[in-house]
């Protein structure tokens, strides 16, 4: 199922690093970051791993909710590098090239909640959904966990509590089939 994404070559970012992907599985909650980070072994890494600042916070949230299945991904699956081979923000064109892959993941995973991490991710994905008449009810903006880790470290507990509250509220309000 992932071959559609693994074989994507709509832009040249795949030349920097092949797509960084989680194991595609039906999940209750989806985390969406902005772009991939550099990894040593693309076959042994997933987005937002717990060896990153963001991943450490996400892991704390997931640990408190063992009854739910989580999926981690990025809007841009490959590695955007600047002329000095340093990680950079992806361009709008690169996001445009990769949005179909995110939509595919959402269709397969069918999450109840999609957390869009940070303003860049949220603004792009939300606008895309609105412009294409897609359901925005699953989309939730939260500050990027890396931002919290670096700039608001003493508020990590509050951040975790806020995310847990959103999850519990949304899932409890979801109509039972």
């Amino acid at each position: 199922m992932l071959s559609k994404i693994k074989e994507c070559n709509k832009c040249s970012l795949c030349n920097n690093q092949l797509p960084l992907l989680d194991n595609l599985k039906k999940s209750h909650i989806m985390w969406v970051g902005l772009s991939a980070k550099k990894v040593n072994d693309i076959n042994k890494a997933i987005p937002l791993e717990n060896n990153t600042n963001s991943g450490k916070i996400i892991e704390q949230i997931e640990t408190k909710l063992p009854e739910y299945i989580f999926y981690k991904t990025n809007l841009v699956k490959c590695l955007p590098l600047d002329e000095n081979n340093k990680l950079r923000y992806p361009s709008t064109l690169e996001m445009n090239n990769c949005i179909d892959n995110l939509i595919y993941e959402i269709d397969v995973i069918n999450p109840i909640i999609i957390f869009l991490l940070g303003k860049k991710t949220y603004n792009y994905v939300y606008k895309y959904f609105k412009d294409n008449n897609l359901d925005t009810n699953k989309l939730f903006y939260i500050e990027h966990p890396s931002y919290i880790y670096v700039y608001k470290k003493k508020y990590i507990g509050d951040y975790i509590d806020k995310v847990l509250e959103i999850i519990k509220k949304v899932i409890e309000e979801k109509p039972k089939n």
Side-chain angles (χ1 to χ4, degrees), residues 10-176:
K10 289 183 181 177
C11 69
S12 62
L13 293 183
C14 58
N15 295 327
N16 297 334
Q17 177 177 285
L18 293 176
L20 186 59
L21 302 168
D22 197 349
N23 297 317
L24 212 53
K25 60 191 176 281
K26 296 276 185 199
S27 300
H28 300 98
I29 298 152
M30 182 180 210
W31 307 99
V32 182
L34 184 58
S35 67
K37 65 175 182 75
K38 182 135 180 77
V39 297
N40 293 327
D41 186 347
I42 198 75
N43 296 312
K44 293 183 180 178
I46 63 167
L48 304 163
E49 283 187 295
N50 62 7
N51 64 352
T52 65
N53 294 340
S54 297
K56 289 173 188 169
I57 295 175
I58 289 171
E59 181 181 48
Q60 289 179 57
I61 295 165
E62 291 178 352
T63 300
K64 293 179 183 290
L65 299 167
E67 67 274 26
Y68 298 117
I69 300 168
F70 297 86
Y71 181 82
K72 300 172 189 168
T73 193
N74 289 301
L75 170 56
V76 175
K77 313 294 182 216
C78 298
L79 181 65
L81 296 175
D82 67 15
E83 59 279 351
N84 298 315
N85 283 331
K86 299 285 185 195
L87 185 64
R88 64 167 170 80
Y89 290 124
S91 69
T92 302
L93 178 60
E94 291 162 343
M95 290 187 264
N96 290 342
N97 286 332
C98 213
I99 189 67
D100 289 341
N101 290 326
L102 179 63
I103 300 302
Y104 172 72
E105 286 174 303
I106 291 169
D107 287 345
V108 170
I109 290 158
N110 193 26
I112 298 167
I113 299 170
I114 302 169
F115 282 115
L116 301 171
L117 309 179
K119 287 181 182 173
K120 287 187 182 302
T121 306
Y122 178 81
N123 290 341
Y124 180 87
V125 174
Y126 187 83
K127 182 180 183 326
Y128 181 88
F129 271 60
K130 283 294 255 191
D131 291 350
N132 290 279
N133 298 315
L134 300 172
D135 181 11
T136 59
N137 291 325
K138 294 181 178 188
L139 304 179
F140 290 85
Y141 164 78
I142 57 172
E143 290 176 305
H144 200 291
S146 184
Y147 170 80
I148 300 298
Y149 189 90
V150 172
Y151 298 105
K152 296 187 174 185
K153 201 167 200 161
K154 67 181 183 179
Y155 299 108
I156 289 175
D158 294 339
Y159 177 83
I160 291 169
D161 290 344
K162 179 179 108 177
V163 174
L164 291 170
E165 186 177 313
I166 292 169
I167 293 169
K168 289 177 181 167
K169 183 175 188 256
V170 170
I171 290 180
E172 285 173 8
E173 289 179 0
K174 185 179 184 308
K176 306 289 186 241

